[in-house]
Amino acid sequence: MSRPDNGLPEDIREHMRLMCDIVALGFQTDKTRVATLLLCRDLSGLFYPFLNVRTAHHPSSHDDQSDAYERVTRYYVSQLAYLASRLDAMPEGEHSVLDHSCLLFISNLWSGTRHDSSKVPVLLVGGLGGALQTGRVLDYHDKGDDNRKLCSLYLSLLDRMDVQLDRFGDAATRLVAL
């Protein structure tokens, strides 16, 4: 990988790619295996002229059924795909860095139009060293609030990383079938 120019990129697309590259480099060199990557705040005023979207991110989210907001959402998911493909291309033993990692992609709302966070989309990518069964869709919507807490997901993931906690946040149980 060539060294990027000094300073922050002016183009948000270059900046986001650089942030993904930094995470990938940290994982590849085993400097870290834990990273948080916030590409955009939920109250963001970012504009996306390269997506032909005329409204800022936050106002676009208030019309979450619109074509403009779908384009913004697809762009962010493409950044996850970029990071995952970078990790998948990095050999680690007989597998890849992605096979030994877990990327968690999440939104803080289900519907920006209604400010509804009663359920949120969560996407896990990577096998966590074989600890995660991949290629599935798990729907916890009808399991009841006590059986679908996000902190229960975190507990389940921590278990698979050999970090044992009795509770995390508002959860003391793990997600069933994760």
Side-chain angles (χ1 to χ4, degrees):
M1 174 189 311
S2 61
R3 178 182 166 81
D5 294 333
N6 289 334
L8 293 176
E10 298 273 333
D11 187 319
I12 191 65
R13 294 169 290 186
E14 291 175 33
H15 188 250
M16 288 184 187
R17 284 285 165 105
L18 180 59
M19 295 298 100
C20 289
D21 289 340
I22 289 170
V23 170
L25 189 60
F27 281 28
Q28 181 182 34
T29 60
D30 212 17
K31 292 294 181 187
T32 188
R33 286 302 173 112
V34 178
T36 301
L37 180 58
L38 177 66
L39 294 175
C40 177
R41 293 182 25 237
D42 54 358
L43 294 174
S44 174
L46 281 177
F47 281 89
Y48 305 90
F50 57 92
L51 298 174
N52 198 25
V53 174
R54 298 187 185 274
T55 55
H57 190 132
H58 184 79
S60 294
S61 73
H62 284 274
D63 188 9
D64 57 25
Q65 298 293 312
S66 70
D67 182 57
Y69 190 62
E70 180 180 343
R71 279 181 277 178
V72 171
T73 301
R74 286 181 182 272
Y75 176 72
Y76 278 90
V77 172
S78 77
Q79 299 311 294
L80 172 67
Y82 172 76
L83 177 56
S85 67
R86 290 290 316 266
L87 297 176
D88 194 40
M90 296 174 177
E92 186 170 70
E94 301 209 5
H95 299 284
S96 71
V97 172
L98 181 63
D99 292 326
H100 292 121
S101 304
C102 176
L103 302 177
L104 170 70
F105 188 77
I106 188 167
S107 175
N108 64 337
L109 289 175
W110 177 252
S111 169
T113 303
R114 297 187 309 249
H115 283 162
D116 179 8
S117 63
S118 62
K119 57 183 178 177
V120 293
V122 177
L123 184 60
L124 296 175
V125 180
L128 202 56
L132 289 176
Q133 182 183 346
T134 60
R136 303 179 295 157
V137 174
L138 303 174
D139 185 353
Y140 290 91
H141 188 254
D142 63 351
K143 305 294 186 216
D145 289 346
D146 286 339
N147 298 312
R148 63 184 192 101
K149 293 179 179 180
L150 193 54
C151 286
S152 292
L153 169 65
Y154 299 150
L155 278 173
S156 298
L157 292 173
L158 287 168
D159 285 350
R160 282 158 179 79
M161 293 184 277
D162 293 326
V163 177
Q164 302 299 314
L165 295 176
D166 292 332
R167 62 181 308 107
F168 184 84
D170 66 348
T173 59
R174 278 72 176 150
L175 285 185
V176 177
L178 181 69

